[in-house]
Amino acid sequence: MLGALRELGAHVRAFFRTRQLDSDFDDELQSHLAMLTDDNIGRGMTPDAARRAAVIRLGALTSLKEQHREARGLRMVETLLQDLRFAARLLVKQRGFTAAVVSTLALGIGVNTAVFTIVNGWNLQALPVDQPDRIVHLATRDAAGRHRGVSYVDFLDWQKVSRAFNGLAAYAGASMTVAIEGQPAEHLEGTFISVNAFGVLRERPTLGRDFWPEDDRVGAEPVAVIGHAVWMEQFGADPAVIGRPIRVNGSPATIVGVMPAAFRFPVLSDMWLPLAQMPGLATQPRDVRPLAVFGRLADDVTLEQSRTEMSAIAAALAEQFPASNRGVQAIVERFTERFFGPPPVIILVAVGFVLLVACANAANLLLARAAYRVPEMSLRSALGASRSRILRQLLVESLLLAALAGAFGLLVAWPIVRTIAAETADFGLPYWTRLAFDGRVFGFVAAACVATTLLFGLAPAWKLSAGRTGEMLKDSGRTLGAGLQSRRWINGLLIAELALSVILLASAALLVRSALTVYQADRVIDASMLLTARISLPPAKYGTPEQRLMFYDQLEARLASIPSISSAAIGTALPFWGATRRDVVLDSDTDASASGGRLALTLAIGSTYFETVRLPLLRGRSFDARDGRPGQQAAIVNERFVEAYWPEQDPIGRRIRLMDAGATAASPGWLIIVGVARTLRHSPGAASPVVYLPFRAQPAETVALMVRGQGESAALARLLREEVRMIDPDVPVHHLSTLERLSQQSRWIPRVASSLLTLFAAIATLLSAMGLYAVTSYSLSQRRSEIGIRMALGAERRQIAWLFLRATLGYVVLGVTIGISGAIAVAQLLRGSLVQTSALDPLTFAGVVVLLGTVAVIACVVPAWRASALDPAVALRHD
Amino acid sequence: MTDDKAEILQGTLDLMVLKTLDVMGPMHGYGLARRIEQLSDDALQVSQGTIYLCLVRLVQKSWITAEWGTSENNRRAKFYAISKTGRKQLLAETRNWERVSGIIGKLLQLGPEG
């Protein structure tokens, strides 16, 4: 074993000293010759004869040197290098061909790299903690199949009973108002978290201490752990921050620790408080489920085993507490999967299609060129090159092409990744996500290069290396290369390219139509010049609805008195986002406690909401100051609600009842419909039925604020902060944005999906057109003499052009037909992502056919028309 | 078929070179070639250059070492010497050779009645 290793080492060393060892061996042979000549002279030969005899006795020097090199060096590597050198020379020589193949593949590899970089950065990143694949996320699903959190009491039971985890911890994100002495209150993203959480993650504070079990007891002295950024910015990285008192949500707390810079678990948290400090948590009933739970799988426990255990525990709890837990299941997932789910299949399939089209195109270029290389291959084969040797040489050429394409592909991917990164910069993506070219991306590019080499290079290489030497040499190759089999390959690939392009074009068109529909629908309001913000009232100071209402009334009055603000409104949610989903019971329902699956999004709004957003009321009236007071239970629904639940009926004066989704609590009171508003989206995707409630009926602690005014939004924001501070300096204004930006963000996924697919479709179409052009030109070059004869016999230019057009158009028609059937199948998969757009929209499909047909005809007509311009004399002489 | 022949030849040549170097001490390539030609009564009809392919192989296996020196006729030449592992190899090969030739010998002595 050791001997073999040493021997290999000797070979490697010899390989790297080839030149030196060659000259060394040369010296040795010269010395051998000299001695042999000496001896020959000693035997009485003349010096000349002696030397000649010596040379003969020693053997053929060149071959000897070659064998010597093979015996001591690395034969495989040397021939590989030889192939590479040869391939490189060839590619440099045929620059046009190289450029065509490399750019084709670079587009294909590039978009795939971009998509992989995004999937890698979002879906595949692991939590930056010890053994991240052991961290799992736990939640519940209710009887109706809805995703829910975990109740505090359930969590305690899980913790007590489960054995599959090395620690279970719960958390709940919360907006936190943090006041440090001498500074205005700041808003932070905070997290209430179990005291064992950092231990489960195996992370510890860089400064101070972790939470202690005592911190989680009711009545414990309130403590807080802050994030590195807060420590740097608010406390100037002062090590004496430990023990400093602060006010969190109006209550005092003491800082006990600072977490490391890269730690913002679970998403973008800047501060952590023990779960015990979460208001009202200890007394919450089992059917209130505000928590998320995570845990570290115990050693030797698989995800599947933990699922089995948790479903047994959930079943036991359901039996014990049927009122709250019947039908409630536990869900266990890998932690990071919880946030992004599986990668977007549509995009992955689409981008894979682009690579296939690119490979088909490259294969066609290679096949067409193969015709010109038949003589070369015949010669090699005649000189004794084995088929595998020729195959290897051709594949090395393809690999070199793919490697070049991979390098350029990174250049293609870079701007796409940068754009996505820039657009998502303020999306609040989890702290562990990262869009960058890391080792995994480079690995992907390398794998893509090898895969594409096999995809586009193997078939042409196999064909080209298969030739029977004699026949090829005899036929001088040219006509044989254009043989029937080769043409069949080329045409088949062309049809596949066209079909894939049609599928991509149709999918892109459907997604674009859907995205445009949503965009158009959003134009119903004027979102420009509308500043948005959130304010959070510290619960300690604003514990009762009356206290909160007083604050909001004051704020509304102040904002109304400022001349540069034309109108302002408050609400529990902003348009496009974040309304609460509730079950709806109609006055016509026989069972007044069951909604029959009717759902609506609900939000509470101030009386100036419609005026500020500029959303027209179609019927009835807006809320006034009386609505929402006891006995004045009014509601406004949107047009969509009427269409869905009271088609062709007058909704004014009708009554509805709203039930919290999944809740089994006693039924709330009836609401009277007083108005109908134009439909405006309150969730991503399609517009749903919405019920607007008077703000007075549920004055929340955190509300959204909309301000329409003149001047810059930055100035407006300053003004808004100032006004809030005047009322109460402990109330922070946060999440400042504009409604325009929010609407863009809420449409981001359909917009990016449709843009990417459009890009892919455009590339595929371009490549197909290139392919058609190349193949038509190629078939033309193969049939020059035929053209010459036809023209000499009096064929007209138009007839010649038609001859070529007809041949290729047949493939276009076939490709488009196959593509349309494929597109119809793919459209079914898209159905879920389409908003108010039919998956089988005939206009879209007709448009795609016309577009691709036009491009295809142009790609065929140009070379065909040029072919028909040939001078018959020149064409005939060509052969 | 030709491959098999070469292989046998190669193995034999290796053994001859090792044995010669073991007995005669360090030698250069030409000297080795002459010596082996003499020993085999010119039965091995190969070009002298072949010896170098054998030598480089043995060097790579570290069974022999090579060093430039001066020949008896005052010419610069590369001298080869057997190494410790080479001696071990020679011993093993010799035993193996004796065993095989013993078996072959017995086999060839068998008469029809045996």
Side-chain angles (χ1 to χ4, degrees), chain A residues 428-473:
Chain A
L429 291 171
Y431 72 107
W432 69 82
T433 58
R434 202 166 56 93
L435 290 186
F437 286 168
D438 60 7
R440 245 188 299 189
V441 171
F442 287 116
F444 173 85
V445 174
C449 288
V450 173
T452 47
T453 302
L454 294 179
L455 272 175
F456 81 85
L458 197 56
W462 185 255
K463 258 198 58 53
L464 195 50
S465 64
R468 283 144 303 176
T469 322
E471 279 180 46
M472 281 195 179
L473 276 177

Side-chain angles (χ1 to χ4, degrees), chain A residues 35 78 104-105 161 235 263 279 354 362 431 443 447 665 734 769 780 785 801 841:
Chain A
M35 287 190 273
E78 268 171 32
T104 294
L105 288 176
V161 182
F235 296 97
F263 184 86
V354 177
Y431 72 107
H734 53 94
L780 155 99
S785 46
D841 184 38

Side-chain angles (χ1 to χ4, degrees), chain A residues 223-239:
Chain A
V223 294
V225 170
I226 58 172
H228 193 264
V230 176
W231 182 53
M232 297 291 282
E233 281 157 31
Q234 316 284 328
F235 296 97
D238 181 5

Side-chain angles (χ1 to χ4, degrees), chain A residues 334-380:
Chain A
R334 296 218 181 276
F335 190 83
T336 47
E337 260 169 42
R338 160 81 188 83
F339 288 85
F340 287 101
V345 180
I346 296 169
I347 300 289
L348 294 186
V349 171
V351 85
F353 278 8
V354 177
L355 192 58
L356 284 182
V357 170
C359 284
N361 223 9
N364 258 354
L365 288 167
L366 244 59
L367 277 172
R369 188 188 60 153
Y372 301 101
R373 295 193 66 181
V374 170
E376 177 199 338
M377 293 305 142
S378 312
L379 198 62
R380 275 169 192 278

